Amino acid sequence: MLDIIRRTNGQPVPYRSWNLANLGGFSDLFSEFDRLWSEVASSFGRWAESYPVDLYETGEEVVLEMAVPGISKDDLDISLEGRQLTIRGNYNPAASEERRYWLQGIPRGAFSRTLTLPAGVEVDKVQATVHNGLLRISMPKTPEAKARRIAVKVQ
């Protein structure tokens, strides 16, 4: 029997169990380890994706909206380099009595998310606000990135 254990607040929590005696051979063993690695690796990737994001474009601006419940503006760091927008944050709940979790679905700790913007933006005019747990970043497009109407001439 193989058990994968992770620790939450110092307490061991079973992550997954496998009965290796029931495997038919090395190919099954390698398949099982591939499946294990996929599950573990994907859980790390989901941490930053726990905060849902909408990124959309209008004629005048690019807008990002991100759910950041429980995170104050002081715990957010936003940077823009070229067309790469990076949002870093930290959610540290208030310390309380020792807890024994039965289910833990609220992401805690530091996170970072980088997105590529679909158009160039005017960095000096970017505005970010947080209201009711929703981060909104408004980024006016550069004049070159705005859609233009082109007149058609008759020859």
Side-chain angles (χ1 to χ4, degrees):
M1 185 70 118
L2 173 66
D3 290 330
I4 301 297
I5 304 291
R6 65 181 168 154
R7 295 200 173 270
T8 302
N9 294 336
Q11 299 295 321
V13 177
Y15 185 75
R16 186 79 190 258
S17 294
W18 290 271
N19 187 351
L20 298 179
N22 293 336
L23 296 177
F26 281 113
S27 63
D28 290 342
L29 179 64
F30 288 123
S31 297
E32 193 67 17
F33 279 119
D34 281 344
R35 191 168 58 85
L36 163 68
W37 178 251
S38 296
E39 288 180 18
V40 172
S42 68
S43 70
F44 291 121
R46 281 183 258 147
W47 186 258
E49 295 172 6
S50 296
Y51 299 96
V53 173
D54 286 344
L55 179 65
Y56 59 92
E57 177 180 4
T58 68
E60 299 295 315
E61 64 184 356
V62 175
V63 178
L64 177 131
E65 293 178 336
M66 181 176 193
V68 290
I71 300 176
S72 72
K73 69 178 186 71
D74 297 330
D75 290 326
L76 289 169
D77 178 48
I78 301 165
S79 61
L80 183 60
E81 184 176 332
R83 288 177 46 189
Q84 297 293 310
L85 175 68
T86 300
I87 302 164
R88 291 181 182 85
N90 196 22
Y91 177 62
N92 289 321
S96 66
E97 72 282 349
E98 186 175 322
R99 298 177 181 185
R100 188 172 139 208
Y101 286 96
W102 292 96
L103 175 66
Q104 187 175 11
I106 298 172
R108 289 177 170 77
F111 69 90
S112 178
R113 184 121 187 222
T114 300
L115 299 111
T116 301
L117 301 178
V121 298
E122 296 187 46
V123 178
D124 297 335
K125 296 182 180 178
V126 172
Q127 294 183 351
T129 58
V130 176
H131 181 68
N132 290 338
L134 184 68
L135 170 65
R136 186 173 198 280
I137 305 172
S138 301
M139 301 164 277
K141 290 182 185 178
T142 59
E144 299 82 32
K146 292 180 183 176
R148 292 185 202 80
R149 189 164 192 86
I150 299 172
V152 177
K153 298 179 184 179
V154 178
Q155 294 187 359

